[in-house]
Amino acid sequence: MRTPLASASTVAICFTLAACSSTSTVKPMAAESAPAIVTTSAQPAATPVATESEAQRFARIQAELAKKSVYFDFDNYTLKPQYQDIVHGNADFMSRNGTDAVILEGNADERGSKEYNLSLGQKRSDAVKRSLILLGAKEDQVESVSLGEEKPKNPGHEESAWADNRRADILYKAPDGRGEF
């Protein structure tokens, strides 16, 4: 008498063997009574895979990940929850692509002294850098700088403009190390 465990094992082995079997295709017979042609193949035919050039790969990366901004509250450098996906996506990409690197540009709005805004911008870019590294990017892939109030995204002088300017931009470096994209 078989135990339930033995029966289950037998069924599992049968399913495994059935899944591993080769596939058969039968081609239809011609109008005359020609014998059917049966072909067996253990694997499907390989499809050609297009290779991506370094320039194409970088353009794709740029479209998907580059020029993303992480925004901050007034006088603050704590990452907001709504920007975690941006940081996580970039960290995941960087951990899988060890040669890609980013420049994090920390920015501040025009309120405050130039020195204070440079310091705050640095703290913002460093906050994003710490998160990227904690999520898998290597430290040598990430450079953080501060632009203070010198590169406003919005030139206005009201709260909505200031909110646009309190940010850290994630910019990918070109494959040869030149520039930022």
Side-chain angles (χ1 to χ4, degrees), residues 70-77 105-125 145-156 158-169:
V70 175
Y71 294 90
F72 296 87
D73 289 330
F74 174 70
D75 199 28
N76 199 311
Y77 55 92
E105 294 180 346
N107 298 274
D109 62 39
E110 64 189 0
R111 299 174 290 178
S113 69
K114 287 192 183 291
E115 294 81 13
Y116 178 79
N117 287 337
L118 279 170
S119 174
L120 183 58
Q122 188 64 50
K123 289 176 183 177
R124 288 174 174 164
S125 63
V145 298
S146 176
L147 301 178
E149 62 190 73
E150 300 304 316
K151 190 178 173 185
K153 189 175 214 172
N154 186 331
E158 69 280 334
E159 182 54 42
S160 64
W162 295 331
D164 286 343
N165 296 330
R166 297 189 302 257
R167 70 189 192 285
D169 295 322

Side-chain angles (χ1 to χ4, degrees), residues 4-5 10 16 34 36 39 60 132:
L5 181 59
T10 303
T16 303
T39 59
R60 181 180 49 78
L132 287 170

Side-chain angles (χ1 to χ4, degrees), residues 9 13 20 29 61 75 79 86 95 98 103 110 118 144 161 178:
S9 298
I13 291 171
C20 292
M29 291 181 22
I61 293 165
D75 199 28
L79 287 175
I86 291 173
S95 69
I103 297 174
E110 64 189 0
L118 279 170
S144 64
R178 293 180 299 117

Side-chain angles (χ1 to χ4, degrees), residues 53-69:
S53 73
E54 186 69 17
Q56 290 170 325
R57 185 177 80 77
F58 189 71
R60 181 180 49 78
I61 293 165
Q62 181 180 0
E64 294 173 9
L65 299 172
K67 301 245 184 219
K68 298 287 185 177
S69 297

